Amino acid sequence: MNNEQASKKPRILILGSTGRTGKAVIGELKQSSDSVQIVYSSRNRAQVNTWRQEGNDAVLLDLNDARTFPAALTGIDRLFLATGYTVEMVHQSKTIVDAATDAGLQFIVHLGIFGNGRTTDPHFAWHEMVERYIEGSGVAWSHIHRTSSWTIC
């Protein structure tokens, strides 16, 4: 690793940047802005343009359109993965994890829900499937689980 690579701030792409959790993650990361570069994402081009006009690094990324992934992941080191809570999340998560792997990302943080690995509740099962997929991707990972309080696994 050369000096430029060693001194480069990791670029963290935040999915869900317009939501409450994404905004909270961005707020926390801004506290560490001297050590990381935050990259906002939205499927809404006008929102991306607004963020850019405000001086933020922002990319267009639509989880339902994998054609938006390569440009959005260019130069990204880490990914905060939050999706909507429908069955679509399984496909969306798989395709973005595949793209992140192909792009050489170093780390994925997935926002999920704690399950016991044998749940029959579809929502929890979807999260478990996504987590197993991330774990098998070859990219370093962490899952943040929602129980009665937030825990990191």
Side-chain angles (χ1 to χ4, degrees):
M1 181 180 299
N2 63 34
N3 287 339
E4 181 181 328
Q5 290 171 317
S7 64
K8 179 185 166 236
K9 291 182 188 181
R11 295 184 75 225
I12 304 173
L13 179 62
I14 309 299
L15 274 64
S17 296
T18 59
R20 288 188 307 170
T21 302
K23 287 178 183 175
V25 168
I26 289 168
E28 288 295 317
L29 288 173
K30 282 185 175 182
Q31 306 280 331
S32 304
S33 63
D34 58 329
S35 61
V36 298
Q37 183 178 352
I38 303 162
V39 181
Y40 296 65
S41 71
S42 177
R43 64 180 170 214
N44 181 311
R45 191 174 303 278
Q47 178 63 66
V48 171
N49 290 336
T50 297
W51 282 328
R52 288 177 178 166
Q53 290 170 358
E54 294 169 349
N56 296 304
D57 195 355
V59 296
L60 181 71
L61 189 145
D62 183 342
L63 286 172
N64 289 320
D65 185 355
R67 295 171 298 185
T68 66
F69 297 177
L73 292 170
T74 299
I76 298 297
D77 303 295
R78 302 174 186 171
L79 173 67
F80 177 77
L81 175 57
T83 62
Y85 294 139
T86 69
V87 71
E88 283 185 315
M89 71 178 280
V90 177
H91 177 257
Q92 292 169 341
S93 297
K94 180 194 181 305
T95 56
I96 193 68
V97 168
D98 288 344
T101 301
D102 292 346
L105 269 68
Q106 300 166 353
F107 204 88
I108 296 172
V109 174
H110 169 253
L111 176 63
I113 294 176
F114 181 77
N116 64 7
R118 295 198 166 273
T119 184
T120 58
D121 178 275
H123 181 109
F124 283 56
W126 301 333
H127 277 286
E128 290 172 354
M129 292 170 67
V130 168
E131 289 180 2
R132 298 303 82 76
Y133 195 77
I134 291 169
E135 291 165 11
S137 72
V139 177
W141 54 268
S142 179
H143 303 302
I144 300 175
H145 288 163
R146 178 71 175 137
T147 58
S148 58
S149 61
W150 287 104
T151 58
I152 298 178
C153 299

